[in-house]
């Protein structure tokens, strides 16, 4: 009954199933691993943020380049403030406002972007206190350069002079006449008249939409594996029932002559028409051989 499993068609089906199921399981496990990694990164970032509030600030040079381990940790730098810019469209405590961003020129002439604080409302340079003069030492949380779409960063250009949409060396390189660090800090204590901006978690370390997408993809791959198994058993059952019916003679059979084509019965009208000439010939022959009744 199961000899059909050795046919080329079923060889192809079986090979596909044997390859598809491990592949689906592997992809589902990989997506689950990605989700678990994001959960672990989230826990690590939370632990780092908690310890960063109490640990001593480290010199800027020892914290660069910014990584997931150094992002959010406290650092300190000494220099003189230079040009100041505004960063509009930033929210804090559910209110819309803007950042005051000043360039701190440290030893060597390079500039470190420093978020001095946040103000509510529309960006207005007249409302922002001037940065301190002379040499200052700042302490704050180290942050990686922003990119459009992260942390509320807008990709819209055409801002007025003295404003920038993102805090990154790529965005600021044409706005300030300094060589910039590929990093920035937000002060622990904002300057007078402004609110301190809390540090943000490193990219791809939070339980955001991408993390739950990984969890959703995990379920999809395991569902695909189950669907492959279900379809294989369904095809097997249908083929088995077909083979059983054939053995019991429950399937209609078509008789084929030796020539290979099925024999088709002739229509009654065609049979009668073919038989008529034969009957006329027989009658004529009988008349020819009948002896005459007179001498």
């Amino acid at each position: 009954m199961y000899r059909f499993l050795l046919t080329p068609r079923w060889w192809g089906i079986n090979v596909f199933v044997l390859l598809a199921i491990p592949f689906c399981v592997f992809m589902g496990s990989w997506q689950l691993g990605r989700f678990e990694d994001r959960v672990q990164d989230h826990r690590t970032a939370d632990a780092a943020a908690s310890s960063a509030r109490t640990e001593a600030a480290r010199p800027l040079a020892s914290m660069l380049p910014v990584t997931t381990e150094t992002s959010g940790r406290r650092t300190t730098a000494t220099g003189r403030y230079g040009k100041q810019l505004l960063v509009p469209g930033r929210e804090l405590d559910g209110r819309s406002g803007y950042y005051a961003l000043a360039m701190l020129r440290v030893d060597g002439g390079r500039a470190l972007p420093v978020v001095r604080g946040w103000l509510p409302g529309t960006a207005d340079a007249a409302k922002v206190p001037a940065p301190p003069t002379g040499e200052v030492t700042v302490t704050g949380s180290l942050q990686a350069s922003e990119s459009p779409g992260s942390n509320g960063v807008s990709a819209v250009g055409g801002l007025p002079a003295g404003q920038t949409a993102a805090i990154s060396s790529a965005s600021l390189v044409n706005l300030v006449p300094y060589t910039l660090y590929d990093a920035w800090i937000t002060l622990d204590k904002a300057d007078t008249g402004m609110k301190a901006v809390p540090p943000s978690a490193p990219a791809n370390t939070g339980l955001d939409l991408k993390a739950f997408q990984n969890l959703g993809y995990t379920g999809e791959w395991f569902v695909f594996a189950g669907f492959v198994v279900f379809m294989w058993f369904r095809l097997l059952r249908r083929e088995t029932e077909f083979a059983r019916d054939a053995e019991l003679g429950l399937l209609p059979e078509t008789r084929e002559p030796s020539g290979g084509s099925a024999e088709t019965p002739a229509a009654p009208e065609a049979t009668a028409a073919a038989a008529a000439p034969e009957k006329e010939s027989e009658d004529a022959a009988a008349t020819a051989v009948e002896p005459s009744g007179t001498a």
Side-chain angles (χ1 to χ4, degrees):
M1 181 181 298
Y2 294 98
R3 287 179 297 178
F4 60 84
L5 292 174
L6 300 178
T7 61
R9 173 172 173 267
W10 271 93
W11 269 107
I13 293 174
N14 293 335
V15 169
F16 172 79
V17 171
L18 292 176
L19 293 177
I21 293 177
F23 177 76
C24 291
V25 172
F26 169 77
M27 291 301 297
S29 302
W30 181 76
Q31 290 288 352
L32 181 60
R34 293 281 296 169
F35 174 74
E36 292 175 344
D37 289 343
R38 289 180 181 275
V39 172
Q40 183 60 41
D41 290 342
H42 176 68
R43 292 173 178 171
T44 302
D46 285 346
S50 299
S51 62
R53 300 187 186 100
T54 57
E55 69 179 6
R58 297 168 57 186
L60 177 64
S62 65
M63 303 287 283
L64 297 176
V66 184
T67 63
T68 55
E69 288 75 20
T70 60
S71 179
R73 295 190 176 275
R74 298 175 71 241
T75 185
T76 182
T78 301
R80 296 175 180 271
Y81 278 119
K83 188 173 182 177
Q84 181 168 263
L85 301 171
L86 305 181
V87 187
R90 298 304 178 97
E91 292 188 358
L92 185 62
D93 297 333
R95 301 173 62 189
S96 179
Y98 56 99
Y99 295 165
L101 180 69
M103 305 297 120
L104 182 71
R105 300 185 64 186
V106 299
D107 293 339
R110 301 184 71 179
L112 174 68
V114 177
V115 174
R116 299 176 55 221
W118 174 90
L119 289 170
T122 305
D124 186 355
K127 297 180 181 179
V128 181
T133 58
E135 187 173 81
V136 295
T137 298
V138 298
T139 302
S141 300
L142 186 67
Q143 302 280 265
S145 291
E146 297 179 330
S147 59
S150 65
N151 195 31
V153 179
S154 173
V156 178
L159 293 175
Q163 297 186 17
T164 180
I167 308 175
S168 68
S169 56
S171 300
L172 298 173
V173 65
N174 296 322
L175 300 178
V176 296
Y178 317 123
T179 301
L180 296 165
Y181 284 102
D182 190 20
W184 57 283
I185 67 170
T186 175
L187 296 181
D188 291 342
K189 296 181 180 180
D191 288 342
T192 305
M194 295 183 286
K195 294 185 67 173
V197 177
S200 58
N204 298 322
T205 59
L207 295 179
D208 52 7
L209 179 60
K210 290 183 178 180
F212 289 101
Q213 281 180 342
N214 292 132
L215 188 60
Y217 293 151
T218 299
E220 287 182 2
W221 281 112
F222 286 122
V223 168
F224 291 159
F227 180 74
V228 170
V229 175
F230 167 75
M231 289 303 299
W232 185 86
F233 276 106
R234 184 174 181 180
L235 290 174
L236 178 66
R237 180 181 178 183
R238 188 178 67 175
E239 200 78 15
T240 303
E241 292 175 350
F242 184 85
R244 184 183 300 114
D245 291 344
E247 290 180 357
L248 296 176
L250 300 178
L251 298 179
E253 296 182 358
T254 302
R255 182 167 57 88
E256 296 184 0
S258 59
S261 60
E263 183 178 352
T264 304
E269 295 80 358
T271 304
E278 296 180 359
K279 188 176 184 302
E280 292 176 357
S281 299
E282 292 176 356
D283 292 343
T287 304
V289 299
E290 182 179 355
S292 62
T294 58

